[in-house]
Amino acid sequence: MAGSDIKRIGILTGGGDCPGLNAVIRAVTKTAITDEGWEVYGIEDGFLGLIRNRMRKLEMEDVSNILTLGGTILGTSNKANPKRFAVRYEEDGTPVFEDVTSRVVEHVKERGLDAVVVIGGDGTMSCAASLIEYGLRFVGIPKTIDNDLMQTEMTFGFATAVQTATDALDRIHTTASSHHRVMLVEMMGRNAGWLTLHAGMASGADVILIPEIPFDIDKVCEACMNRTKRGKKFTIIAVSEGAKPIGGEQVVDRVVHDSPDPVRLGGVSEVLSEEIAKRTRLECRATILGHVQRGGTPVAADRVLATEFGLAADRMLRKGKFNRLVTYKNGVIDDCPLEEVADQQRTVPTHHRLVMAARALGVSMGD
Ligand code: F6P
């Protein structure tokens, strides 16, 4: 079927929520209805909606007034991989997984969806990629506050998360300087340090610890003590949830057994806070920003990027360019095969220009 033969599309948001999802839903739905004359079905809770056949027809009024709204009007799930779906739980809570791909294929056919727009990160794209062989057709749109998707140098949601984290770091500054403390602020990002690096630089953090550059605790303490010696009475440490010591392990907050990507990182700032206090006798406090980084109204740049991504997806559908992901590189919106981003993470190169800038400004990277 050529792209122009499309009559009905589905749209879903998968993985963790992020600011700008509604802006994409709005852009895709509005252009699909008014520009193309297609019907749009909003699939609820990511791939869970395709597994359970939960979707609703979206009209223009459903996407009116949602541009500035955080979260997703469709709901999302980061536990619904059709290839490995928890169909039930043993008494002790252990999930029992089954391949429920056939349900997804059946529901897409039953609902007459000619293609599905999937808005998500590497996990969502991997779910979509695994369904291509069954004849389903997708167009992917990259989202994540972690900014760690391959083939795209900027995902929407990232700019908002950087702003939120920067605001938090700015506020932490006041307590740090009033109480003469070492203040650690822990940010999300999984195995990628983009968010911490950007927010840390934006707020003038003294130490920035990212997963890509394992830290030496002696060097971190030295950075704090050097500031004390120079008469600076406080130190701000921006630390990624995925940061780890040289030769050591990441700190795991919890394991979500029914999630395809079960490990949730968190807590490294608390471990570091205790260790630095013990070694330097400086007073330390840790703040874990957590999900506040994913919430709230998208900043203008994210609204614009999300809208452009939505429009690009619509144009790809029109041209019949299926099973590809919208990408953004060097200021140009393009696309690449879904398989190229599935289950992969784009981490910070250790010699990235922002890392070099940090070092040039005297920021300790902990190594
Ligand atoms: O991928 C987005 C993200 O917010 C990560 O930065 C974080 O590690 C993870 O999701 C948290 O997941 P959950 O919402 O399941 O706790």
Side-chain angles (χ1 to χ4, degrees):
M1 180 192 287
S4 56
D5 293 335
I6 284 182
K7 292 191 173 54
R8 185 180 292 169
I9 61 166
I11 181 167
L12 65 81
T13 50
D17 69 328
C18 105
L21 287 170
N22 286 324
V24 181
I25 296 168
R26 169 183 176 268
V28 170
T29 306
K30 281 195 167 186
T31 48
I33 294 175
T34 57
D35 220 22
E36 314 286 1
W38 301 334
E39 285 183 337
V40 181
Y41 274 73
I43 298 157
E44 292 170 9
D45 302 333
F47 274 95
L48 193 61
L50 284 180
I51 295 167
R52 299 237 162 99
N53 202 9
R54 284 200 275 110
M55 54 190 91
R56 58 184 192 267
K57 192 172 175 206
L58 294 180
E59 305 290 357
M60 290 295 275
E61 52 270 26
D62 293 312
V63 295
S64 169
N65 246 331
I66 64 167
L67 177 62
T68 60
L69 203 64
T72 160
I73 58 162
L74 297 176
T76 187
S77 166
N78 54 12
K79 297 181 178 180
N81 178 355
K83 286 269 176 203
R84 196 167 178 272
F85 181 64
V87 285
R88 62 186 173 81
Y89 297 83
E90 304 283 17
E91 257 174 40
D92 64 357
T94 308
V96 178
F97 293 104
E98 265 179 31
D99 182 343
V100 295
T101 305
S102 58
R103 286 199 220 167
V104 172
V105 176
E106 191 187 311
H107 296 150
V108 169
K109 295 218 165 111
E110 185 189 314
R111 298 285 192 148
L113 303 180
D114 298 316
V116 179
V117 175
V118 290
I119 311 165
D122 57 311
T124 304
M125 296 313 147
S126 137
C127 288
S130 74
L131 294 164
I132 297 172
E133 63 172 302
Y134 300 92
L136 303 193
R137 299 181 316 185
F138 300 95
V139 165
I141 300 182
K143 73 85 224 186
T144 165
I145 63 158
D146 305 338
N147 204 28
D148 63 350
L149 237 76
M150 294 299 273
Q151 302 293 349
T152 192
E153 63 195 21
M154 186 65 77
T155 50
F156 67 86
F158 177 64
T160 307
V162 169
Q163 191 58 55
T164 304
T166 302
D167 290 345
L169 278 155
D170 290 349
R171 283 171 190 275
I172 291 285
H173 246 99
T174 50
T175 306
S177 69
S178 308
H179 286 261
H180 319 308
R181 286 176 178 164
V182 174
M183 299 291 278
L184 296 103
V185 181
E186 180 174 322
M187 278 157 261
M188 284 183 162
R190 298 193 295 176
N191 300 310
W194 296 109
L195 180 52
T196 307
L197 182 59
H198 279 252
M201 287 300 278
S203 62
D206 309 300
V207 181
I208 299 178
L209 306 177
I210 59 175
E212 295 84 348
I213 304 177
F215 61 83
D216 175 343
I217 185 68
D218 290 331
K219 293 280 169 55
V220 177
C221 292
E222 200 179 291
C224 301
M225 291 309 285
N226 282 344
R227 280 182 59 79
T228 308
K229 280 182 207 149
R230 293 205 322 269
K232 305 279 185 190
K233 294 194 172 133
F234 67 92
T235 300
I236 304 281
I237 304 181
V239 52
S240 292
E241 62 181 5
K244 59 177 182 223
I246 296 168
E249 300 293 327
Q250 291 175 318
V251 179
V252 174
D253 172 44
R254 69 187 64 210
V255 177
V256 184
H257 292 285
D258 51 356
S259 169
D261 185 12
V263 173
R264 298 292 183 274
L265 300 169
V268 64
S269 59
E270 283 162 348
V271 175
L272 268 171
S273 171
E274 274 191 39
E275 196 60 29
I276 297 168
K278 204 164 74 191
R279 289 171 181 238
T280 64
R281 302 202 173 274
L282 293 169
E283 191 173 14
C284 301
R285 292 286 189 278
T287 304
I288 301 178
L289 296 185
H291 291 85
V292 75
Q293 296 160 100
R294 292 215 311 239
T297 302
V299 296
D302 276 340
R303 296 180 206 175
V304 172
L305 190 61
T307 303
E308 287 197 290
F309 280 1
L311 189 66
D314 177 89
R315 296 300 180 249
M316 284 161 67
L317 290 168
R318 182 197 280 185
K319 290 182 195 153
K321 280 179 113 181
F322 299 120
N323 304 328
R324 299 182 72 81
L325 175 85
V326 177
T327 61
Y328 181 78
K329 270 188 200 164
N330 301 320
V332 176
I333 293 185
D334 203 346
D335 52 76
C336 76
L338 277 183
E339 292 91 337
E340 283 183 16
V341 297
D343 281 332
Q344 292 185 64
Q345 285 170 13
R346 190 180 68 95
T347 52
V348 179
T350 50
H351 287 84
H352 187 269
R353 64 170 199 278
L354 210 48
V355 173
M356 303 316 275
R359 294 193 193 280
L361 263 67
V363 176
S364 166
M365 299 299 296
D367 59 342

